[in-house]
């Protein structure tokens, strides 16, 4: 749900860890440049949250910081969190899951669009291209960390991990997916579940889906089992438009859909409580294996910044960034993960150089 572009938007930037820091630098550069070209007022405030801060001060994020992030900003731009020096990555749980749960960011929106056919790993690319918008529930499911161990460390150990599904949680997500489909003119909403093997959760999801879709009669709707969807996303991805699913299934199928449309280096996301709070971040993590090498692809972060600009009501800024990304990709101005030779900074600049402003002014 975009916010109207009035006054100066305030954005909290959390670069985080590893390649998060590197790609966020390029995302902010592109967004700042595009905003300047279009006369859009956006203030960026950097937040020192991540592994370095935790290792230095022993603090992940405080209640007061979560409150200030919630109250004082129109959106949060996050790089990625994760550092091998932090045991169990405790700071991810506190910062990322803390923000998701405390700000009740229940819609994880992951658009997977094939921007350029050469980055598709499939042999047969559908004629109409691939554009799948995934709505993943992000406050419930198997991620609520309810459960525990019994007889831990013994041969009789038992681990229980609960999967929480509420009528309210499912209904608001399904409604968000249909509202989006209606606003965007999407042809079909498909719900993905595993109702044959997980009948309790499945029944709740299917009943809710059935009730909500009745309000959106003009939009085609169907239901698919997640295993069949995994096959179909490879076999005929052009069939799908909007997918709505649980936290766990959404996590998995969105990585698959991202790969089919060019890989993690290109995949953006937004996690929102529509009308209240919004956080934007690339789908990928901190990738410790390539951190510091200059090989990180900044496009996913740049596209996340474009999603954020759209959310803030700056459509022209978002359109300009999306267009510049397409041109840079088409020109092969990319990082090694997509077969290019550019560094993270060079790839960011390649996009920035292709921003055109409202009258087609080149950016220098
Ligand atoms: P996390 O657990 O936080 O998701 P991870 O390293 O296990 O971290 P990702 O960071 O998502 O998983 O990355 C998986 C692999 O994909 C990395 O090892 C990296 O090689 C590659 N990768 C991820 N993001 C990018 C990127 N932006 N550019 C290039 N390669 C990337």
């Amino acid at each position: 749900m975009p916010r109207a572009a009035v006054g100066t938007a305030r954005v909290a930037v959390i670069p985080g860890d590893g390649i998060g820091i590197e790609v966020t630098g390029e995302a902010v550069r592109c967004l700042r440049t595009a905003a300047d070209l279009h006369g859009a007022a956006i203030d960026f405030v950097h937040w020192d949250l991540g592994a370095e801060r935790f290792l230095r001060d022993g603090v992940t994020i405080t209640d007061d910081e979560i409150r200030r992030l919630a109250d004082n900003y129109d959106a949060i731009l996050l790089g990625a969190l994760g550092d091998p020096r932090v045991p169990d990555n405790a700071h991810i749980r506190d910062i990322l899951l803390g923000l998701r749960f405390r700000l009740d960011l229940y819609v994880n929106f992951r658009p997977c669009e094939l921007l350029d056919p050469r980055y598709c790993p499939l042999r047969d690319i559908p004629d109409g291209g691939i554009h799948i918008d995934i709505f993943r529930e992000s406050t419930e499911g198997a991620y609520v960390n309810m459960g525990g161990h019994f007889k831990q460390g013994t041969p009789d150990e038992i681990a229980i991990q609960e999967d929480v599904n509420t009528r309210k949680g499912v209904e608001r997500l399904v409604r968000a997916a249909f509202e989006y489909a209606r606003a965007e003119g999407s042809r079909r909403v498909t719900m993905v579940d595993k109702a044959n093997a997980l009948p309790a959760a499945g029944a709740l999801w299917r009943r809710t889906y059935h009730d909500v879709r009745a309000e959106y009669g003009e939009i085609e709707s169907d239901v698919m089992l997640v295993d069949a969807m995994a096959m179909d996303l490879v076999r005929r991805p052009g069939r799908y438009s909007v997918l709505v699913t649980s936290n766990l299934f959404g996590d998995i199928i969105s990585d698959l859909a991202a790969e089919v449309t060019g890989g993690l280096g290109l995949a953006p996301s937004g996690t929102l409580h529509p009308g209240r709070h919004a956080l934007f971040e690339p789908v990928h993590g901190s990738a410790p294996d390539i951190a510091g090498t200059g090989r990180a692809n900044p496009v996913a972060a740049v596209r996340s910044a474009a999603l954020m600009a759209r959310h803030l009501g700056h459509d022209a800024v978002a359109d300009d960034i999306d267009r510049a990304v397409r041109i840079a990709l088409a020109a092969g101005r990319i990082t090694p993960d997509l077969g290019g030779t550019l560094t993270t900074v060079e790839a960011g600049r390649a996009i920035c150089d292709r921003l055109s402003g409202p009258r087609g002014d080149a950016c220098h």
Side-chain angles (χ1 to χ4, degrees):
M1 192 176 299
R3 161 193 178 280
V6 281
T8 300
R10 277 174 63 82
V11 170
V13 180
I14 307 174
D17 305 327
I19 67 166
I21 299 168
E22 300 159 37
V23 296
T24 302
E26 298 316 305
V28 171
R29 183 207 309 279
C30 288
L31 179 54
R32 205 189 279 279
T33 306
D36 285 351
L37 283 168
H38 290 269
I42 302 177
D43 261 1
F44 298 90
V45 179
H46 276 72
W47 280 64
D48 173 25
L49 294 172
E52 284 301 339
R53 194 258 186 122
F54 178 59
L55 292 168
R56 192 180 63 235
D57 303 339
V59 177
T60 52
I61 187 168
T62 64
D63 284 349
D64 181 58
E65 285 167 333
I66 291 189
R67 192 187 49 71
R68 282 191 284 130
L69 282 166
D71 293 347
N72 299 346
Y73 294 90
D74 296 300
I76 300 168
L77 183 65
L78 177 71
L81 293 164
D83 189 306
R85 295 171 300 167
V86 178
D88 300 334
N89 274 316
H91 66 306
I92 302 186
R93 189 188 58 232
D94 290 358
I95 300 171
L96 192 54
L97 299 187
L99 287 170
R100 263 188 211 162
F101 290 129
R102 298 270 297 278
L103 274 51
D104 198 25
L105 304 174
Y106 63 89
V107 175
N108 185 207
F109 174 64
R110 295 185 163 188
C112 299
E113 182 180 5
L114 183 60
L115 300 181
D116 190 302
R118 94 179 73 166
Y119 303 118
C120 181
L122 302 179
R123 190 185 53 212
D124 298 319
I125 300 174
D127 289 342
I130 307 172
H131 187 162
I132 303 167
D133 291 315
I134 298 177
F135 282 70
R136 166 191 171 196
E137 205 294 322
S138 80
T139 53
E140 302 189 342
Y143 289 60
V144 298
N145 200 22
M146 286 174 68
H149 295 264
F150 180 50
K151 299 185 179 177
Q152 192 166 5
T154 76
D156 297 323
E157 178 168 356
I158 297 169
I160 293 183
Q161 196 81 57
E162 299 288 1
D163 176 29
V164 173
N165 302 268
T166 69
R167 169 77 194 205
K168 176 183 147 195
V170 175
E171 184 169 337
R172 65 185 182 173
L173 178 78
V174 172
R175 196 175 295 286
F178 274 102
E179 282 295 317
Y180 173 86
R182 178 173 277 171
E184 296 296 314
S186 311
R187 67 183 185 287
R188 177 186 291 128
V189 176
T190 305
M191 192 191 80
V192 183
D193 66 12
K194 187 66 185 165
N196 54 350
L198 305 172
L204 171 62
W205 276 81
R206 288 195 178 200
R207 244 184 294 113
T208 309
Y209 185 67
H210 184 267
D211 291 348
V212 174
R213 75 175 173 183
E215 299 168 30
Y216 300 85
E218 80 280 12
I219 301 166
E220 268 181 59
S221 54
D222 58 359
V223 175
M224 287 274 287
L225 294 174
V226 66
D227 43 346
M229 178 57 76
M231 286 194 301
D232 242 17
L233 281 177
V234 174
R235 206 159 55 101
R236 44 174 192 167
R239 179 176 185 273
Y240 298 100
S241 181
V242 174
L243 305 186
V244 58
T245 191
S246 67
N247 210 337
L248 178 60
F249 297 151
D251 193 2
I252 298 165
I253 61 170
S254 63
D255 266 21
L256 180 49
E259 199 54 43
V260 164
T261 49
L264 281 179
L266 301 182
S269 81
T271 312
L272 307 94
H273 186 122
R276 283 200 212 159
H277 304 294
L279 179 151
F280 298 86
E281 60 178 323
V283 169
H284 65 72
S286 60
D289 57 331
I290 56 166
T293 66
R295 294 170 66 85
N297 187 339
V299 172
V302 171
R303 295 182 69 205
S304 301
L307 280 182
M308 183 175 74
R310 209 173 288 290
H311 168 79
L312 295 171
H314 294 303
D315 281 351
V317 172
D319 290 343
D320 203 356
I321 295 174
D322 286 344
R323 200 186 43 79
V325 165
R326 279 177 197 271
I327 297 172
L329 289 176
R333 305 290 291 156
I334 40 154
T335 44
D337 54 310
L338 294 179
T341 55
L342 300 191
T343 64
T344 308
V345 172
E346 288 166 345
R349 286 188 194 276
I351 297 168
C352 225
D353 287 346
R354 286 160 176 81
L355 294 166
S356 63
R359 294 177 306 279
D361 306 338
C363 150
H364 300 291

